[in-house]
Amino acid sequence: MTHPDPSPTPGRHLYRATYLHTPGNPFRDAQVLDVQQDGGLLVEAGRIVQNGDFAALARAHPDAVIHDLRGGVLLPGFVDTHVHYPQVRVLGGLGMPLLEWLDRNTLPEEARFSDALYARTVAQEFLSGLALHGTTTALVFGSHYAGAMEAFFGEAQRSGLRIVAGQVVSDRMLRPELHTTPDAAYREGLALAGRWHGQGRLLYAVTPRFSLSASESILDACAALLRDVPGARFTSHINENLQEIRTVADLFPQARDYLDTYEQAGLLGRRSVLAHNVHPQDRELAHLAAHGCSVAHCPCSNSALGSGFFPLARHVEAGVRVSLGTDVGGGTGFGMLKEGLQAYFMQQLMPGGRPLTPTDLLYLATRAGAEALDLQDVTGDFGVGRSFDAVLLRPAEGTPLGTVLRHAESAERTLAALFAMGGAPDVAQVWVAGDTVHGGPAPVRAPL
Ligand code: GUN
Ligand code: ZN
């Protein structure tokens, strides 16, 4: 039976597709790309219960509702590990380095989120930006305002996406209306986490903006919040821009380096994700690895803001886990395929860069992000037990990408073409836990 309704019905669903995923880490293990040309994913209550060859699964489960997704490529939903909710409307502000870009382009917009109605409208714009690019899970840098975060979490819950997010806190060096106090940072964060952390697909992330805008006291308040919200994640920025790094060194004369400002506060662990790290010291890499932290690499942002080349090889050699982030709005949009391509370009161009394979790019855009968020048992690949979080890429007939895919002679070639040429127009449907969150079959129209 073919099932035209995009909303899941009870029972078993068998998705028939060419699918590709990376159940392992290609920076560590060999041969992690799993390819099924005529594959099947058997899904029950939103979770994958069997995977493999379609014909075999169809024979074994004649009762399953079949969803025929042939003619495209099915990938695990993308995981964006660094993306700013209040920066959608300032995307594309090119031509400035980080600190000037914050002052002139970005912080004036972020101040508008004191208006919760405005915040709700932008939250909708932001969440649809994620879904229509095939992102199913995101670690979201929030707003400085608790009311804006309340609106955001409400919209995030309605969107069906997996969202890890928190109120951003700062108590110096930005603009007064974006500053809070350590006490309010703790109190408001605890209240938001109490309402939203662990609700459905939502998790809370403790989020000081960066050490440049944080006193030791507010970092301590963040550590207290992290301790008092079991399962909360931690995220911030690090080592993005040379001027920023010099200022942080002046503000924290006791700190051994930038990482130490977070380390001394007790903010580092397996569920900590630091964005950028373009200019790390060796000690910082060693300690990031020892704490099990992840670094969110944001190559479009690093290019747009002229922050520098990301030393991926040094991260991999030190054993630091790396995932990808679009860094909307320092980056150039929500596209994780584009982000992968830019990572590839920059490693090609930088002296000592690490050449990235198509399999590396798929891993970075999917499973690496799930690992960074400690959600690898939930999402990031099509293994048994994972949630059915997926993106169907199906370029329109006659498009150059459609032509290339039709003639692709290997799975690597298919993947390379998707990263080189794919984007939102090619995203046909997106699912989280078996629920369609974007696209799907065209609605059946009643005859006129
Ligand atoms: N460092 C502190 N705030 C920001 C931000 O909004 N974007 C980027 N790219 N870096 C930051
Ligand atoms: Zn950022």
Side-chain angles (χ1 to χ4, degrees):
M1 171 175 39
T2 299
H3 184 67
D5 180 357
S7 62
T9 49
R12 293 184 163 190
H13 296 260
L14 181 53
Y15 294 87
R16 179 179 196 178
T18 297
Y19 74 76
L20 292 85
H21 68 139
T22 50
N25 175 350
F27 296 106
R28 221 187 33 213
D29 321 315
Q31 302 293 331
V32 303
L33 183 67
D34 179 27
V35 182
Q36 295 289 333
Q37 281 302 337
D38 190 4
L41 295 170
L42 187 70
V43 173
E44 198 172 331
R47 283 176 50 170
I48 298 169
V49 292
Q50 281 186 47
N51 59 20
D53 176 62
F54 168 74
L57 285 168
R59 266 194 308 278
H61 302 280
D63 57 323
V65 177
I66 292 172
H67 301 258
D68 190 346
L69 309 178
R70 284 176 296 175
V73 179
L74 192 72
L75 302 179
F78 300 129
V79 182
D80 186 342
T81 55
H82 188 71
V83 55
H84 292 251
Y85 141 53
Q87 296 181 8
V88 191
R89 294 191 180 188
V90 295
L91 270 163
L94 299 177
M96 290 165 268
L98 174 66
L99 299 179
E100 184 187 351
W101 174 85
L102 282 171
D103 280 346
R104 290 182 47 202
N105 188 67
T106 306
L107 299 181
E109 168 68 5
E110 295 207 21
R112 297 198 177 101
F113 287 68
S114 59
D115 175 349
L117 269 181
Y118 182 80
R120 185 176 299 282
T121 305
V122 180
Q124 291 162 356
E125 296 166 0
F126 174 86
L127 293 157
S128 40
L130 292 175
L132 67 87
H133 286 80
T135 296
T136 51
T137 298
L139 174 57
V140 177
F141 231 82
S143 163
H144 288 268
Y145 298 99
M149 290 314 294
E150 189 63 34
F152 176 76
F153 278 121
E155 292 304 318
Q157 190 162 57
R158 256 187 289 284
S159 77
L161 297 171
R162 266 179 222 296
I163 297 292
V164 186
Q167 181 181 14
V168 176
V169 297
S170 289
D171 62 352
R172 63 179 171 191
M173 306 277 285
L174 298 181
R175 42 174 60 216
E177 63 270 42
L178 296 179
H179 294 161
T180 184
T181 61
D183 180 54
Y186 177 85
R187 234 181 331 101
E188 293 182 351
L190 194 65
L192 281 165
R195 273 195 296 284
W196 298 106
H197 180 60
Q199 294 297 314
R201 299 168 191 162
L202 308 179
L203 290 169
Y204 199 79
V206 174
T207 313
R209 187 164 196 128
F210 58 162
S211 290
L212 186 145
S213 66
S215 67
E216 272 179 45
S217 310
I218 207 165
L219 293 178
D220 289 342
C222 287
L225 184 57
L226 196 58
R227 219 178 24 245
D228 294 345
V229 182
R233 276 45 173 179
F234 168 76
T235 192
S236 193
H237 295 95
I238 193 168
N239 288 324
E240 179 176 3
N241 166 286
L242 295 173
Q243 181 64 44
E244 169 212 13
I245 295 167
R246 278 193 292 271
T247 308
V248 169
D250 290 345
L251 290 168
F252 290 85
Q254 322 295 355
R256 289 171 287 184
D257 44 45
Y258 201 143
L259 184 74
D260 205 29
T261 62
Y262 302 127
E263 197 170 10
Q264 283 184 16
L267 291 164
L268 303 184
R270 169 74 187 81
R271 291 171 165 178
S272 303
V273 181
L274 291 163
H276 302 300
N277 211 29
V278 175
H279 307 286
Q281 309 288 326
D282 288 342
R283 190 205 80 88
E284 293 177 299
L285 290 171
H287 280 235
L288 284 165
H291 287 287
C293 305
S294 291
V295 166
H297 172 35
C298 308
C300 288
S301 166
N302 296 164
S303 305
L305 300 175
S307 303
F309 282 113
F310 178 69
L312 176 61
R314 285 176 64 210
H315 282 74
V316 173
E317 280 154 23
V320 181
R321 294 181 299 125
V322 175
S323 55
L324 275 184
T326 59
D327 195 24
V328 165
T332 60
F334 289 90
M336 287 291 285
L337 293 170
K338 178 167 66 168
E339 212 58 50
L341 180 65
Q342 189 68 16
Y344 169 84
F345 284 158
M346 292 182 87
Q347 294 304 314
Q348 287 288 312
L349 291 170
M350 82 182 277
R354 178 178 172 116
L356 288 167
T357 66
T359 301
D360 294 337
L361 299 185
L362 180 60
Y363 167 74
L364 285 170
T366 57
R367 187 172 161 97
E371 290 173 355
L373 295 169
D374 203 12
L375 292 175
Q376 64 282 350
D377 295 338
V378 176
T379 192
D381 65 41
F382 291 140
V384 169
R386 306 283 182 267
S387 172
F388 181 64
D389 296 0
V391 51
L392 178 66
L393 297 164
R394 190 162 51 198
E397 278 296 310
T399 59
L401 178 56
T403 305
V404 172
L405 293 186
R406 250 201 332 281
H407 294 96
E409 280 163 5
S410 68
E412 279 79 7
R413 190 69 191 80
T414 295
L415 262 184
L418 289 173
F419 277 97
M421 304 170 73
D426 308 305
V427 173
Q429 192 166 354
V430 184
W431 298 259
V432 177
D435 298 333
T436 295
V437 294
H438 171 68
V444 179
R445 289 183 189 281
L448 288 172

